[in-house]
């Protein structure tokens, strides 16, 4: 790759990523002013991500602008660590999300989930009292369960609905409990279930309780996290390929900068 081409590409790629980092930081600041505690918990990781992108980008930009071999070396080393981090996270994400799938139930268009089907990492995280307390607060605030009665006006609509994993696990008792549904948000708990499933006793019609303390709810969250992690992992594969190409161009720019400095 020519001297001018490689430095030109690195310069403009890092200029664009600097602009991206500013957008990320502004988004993080917006999150910090949001009144939702669940979203505020993401503020620090987002700000850190924006800061790292900006720091790496400005070094790469200045290295290409000044044709500095030293700055480009530093840029390539940091980019190498980022590539290794992405690769490790992606591999772990695929390993952690390898287990777990739903179980079909006769008469239902959606699946039910069992916590024991998921990886030990998910089990440790979701069975941790502190972690689940924080997650449960977010689930209650999300109003997903309370909105079911607004989405499905009749019992027939509710029974034919295709619920999400969280709605299926946290908003209703497991099917083997046998509680008759009165509507989308209320079950007849006077029925005595024959199932030994402990979730049957934990479910309440209360808006604040529902099945938020149930293993079925934790399993629904695990399935949701698994789906999200898989999307992130696939995105990381694409990001890894793009950064690898940028790393290759950066190596050419660094080599050309070294040659230019050795001639002067």
């Amino acid at each position: 790759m020519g001297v001018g081409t490689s430095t030109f590409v690195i310069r403009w790629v890092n200029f664009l990523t600097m602009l991206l980092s500013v957008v990320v930081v502004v988004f993080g600041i917006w999150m910090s002013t949001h009144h939702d505690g669940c979203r505020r918990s993401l503020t620090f990781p987002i700000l850190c991500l924006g800061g790292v992108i900006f720091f790496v980008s400005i070094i790469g930009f200045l290295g290409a602008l000044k044709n500095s071999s030293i700055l480009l070396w530093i840029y390539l080393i940091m980019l190498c660590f980022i590539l290794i981090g992405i690769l490790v996270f992606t591999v772990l994400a695929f390993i952690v999300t390898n287990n777990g799938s739903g179980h079909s139930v006769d008469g239902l268009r959606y699946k039910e989930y069992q916590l024991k089907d998921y990886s030990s990492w998910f089990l440790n995280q979701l069975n941790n009292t502190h972690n689940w307390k924080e997650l449960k607060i977010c689930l209650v605030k999300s109003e997903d369960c309370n909105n079911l009665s607004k989405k499905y006006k009749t019992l027939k609509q509710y029974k034919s609905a295709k619920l999400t994993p969280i709605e299926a696990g946290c908003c209703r008792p497991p099917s083997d409990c046998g509680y008759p549904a009165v509507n989308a948000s209320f079950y007849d708990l006077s029925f005595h279930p024959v199932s030994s499933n402990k979730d049957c006793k934990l479910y309440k019609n209360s808006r604040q309780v529902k099945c938020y303390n149930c293993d079925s709810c934790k399993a629904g969250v695990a399935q949701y996290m698994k789906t999200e992690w898989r999307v992130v992992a696939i995105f990381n594969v694409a990001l890894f390929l793009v950064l690898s190409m940028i790393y290759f161009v950066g190596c050419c720019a660094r080599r050309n900068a070294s040659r230019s400095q050795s001639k002067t």
Side-chain angles (χ1 to χ4, degrees):
M1 186 174 288
V3 177
T5 304
S6 58
T7 54
F8 176 82
V9 171
I10 291 298
R11 187 188 310 159
W12 281 103
V13 164
N14 284 282
F15 178 75
L16 293 175
T17 52
M18 274 195 292
L19 295 179
L20 174 64
S21 69
V22 173
V23 174
V24 173
V25 170
V26 170
F27 179 70
I29 294 173
W30 177 83
M31 292 284 281
S32 68
T33 60
H34 203 283
H35 295 297
D36 187 346
C38 300
R39 292 189 179 184
R40 279 204 304 268
S41 64
L42 299 174
T43 298
F44 183 71
I46 291 174
L47 290 176
C48 287
L49 176 63
V52 169
I53 294 174
F54 182 82
F55 184 69
V56 174
S57 298
I58 198 169
I59 289 178
F61 177 78
L62 292 175
L65 183 66
K66 297 180 179 296
N67 208 26
S68 171
S69 177
I70 295 176
L71 287 177
L72 287 172
W73 259 119
I74 297 173
Y75 171 71
L76 290 173
I77 291 172
M78 290 191 296
L79 193 57
C80 181
F81 279 116
I82 292 174
L83 285 169
I84 293 172
I86 292 174
L87 183 62
V88 171
F89 175 81
T90 303
V91 171
L92 289 177
F94 276 113
I95 292 173
V96 167
T97 59
N98 188 49
N99 297 330
S101 60
H103 300 268
S104 299
V105 179
D106 291 338
L108 298 180
R109 293 185 60 200
Y110 52 88
K111 294 182 178 180
E112 293 188 331
Y113 303 89
Q114 296 180 7
L115 189 59
K116 63 182 181 180
D117 294 337
Y118 294 87
S119 68
S120 57
W121 186 88
F122 275 125
L123 293 178
N124 292 334
Q125 295 299 314
L126 295 174
N127 284 325
N128 180 283
T129 304
H130 175 74
N131 290 347
W132 186 248
K133 182 180 178 181
E134 296 297 321
L135 282 170
K136 187 166 66 173
I137 292 173
C138 294
L139 289 171
V140 174
K141 286 184 176 181
S142 71
E143 293 287 325
D144 286 345
C145 294
N146 297 329
N147 288 332
L148 286 179
S149 58
K150 299 177 183 178
K151 291 170 62 177
Y152 310 110
K153 303 295 184 180
T154 66
L155 185 59
K156 182 179 180 180
Q157 289 177 336
Y158 176 56
K159 288 185 174 182
S160 61
K162 193 172 183 179
L163 304 181
T164 66
I166 291 180
E167 289 173 343
C170 303
C171 305
R172 52 179 292 281
S175 296
D176 57 0
C177 296
Y179 293 129
V182 178
N183 54 48
S185 60
F186 192 86
Y187 284 79
D188 182 5
L189 301 183
S190 63
F191 177 84
H192 296 288
V194 294
S195 172
S196 59
N197 191 338
K198 65 177 183 178
D199 289 352
C200 298
K201 295 182 178 180
L202 294 175
Y203 175 82
K204 303 296 179 185
N205 286 315
S206 169
R207 296 166 64 95
Q208 302 298 319
V209 180
K210 291 296 182 180
C211 214
Y212 295 129
N213 294 313
C214 302
D215 282 348
S216 63
C217 185
K218 294 178 181 179
V221 172
Q223 178 64 26
Y224 171 80
M225 292 173 65
K226 172 184 174 178
T227 304
E228 294 294 305
W229 276 43
R230 277 295 173 96
V231 172
V232 172
I234 293 171
F235 171 79
N236 280 348
V237 171
L239 180 62
F240 181 85
L241 295 175
V242 172
L243 290 180
S244 296
M245 290 187 287
I246 294 174
Y247 184 84
F248 171 75
V249 177
C251 289
C252 295
R254 199 269 326 152
R255 184 173 63 249
N256 294 331
S258 297
R259 290 174 180 174
S260 299
Q261 291 174 1
S262 64
K263 292 178 182 179
T264 57

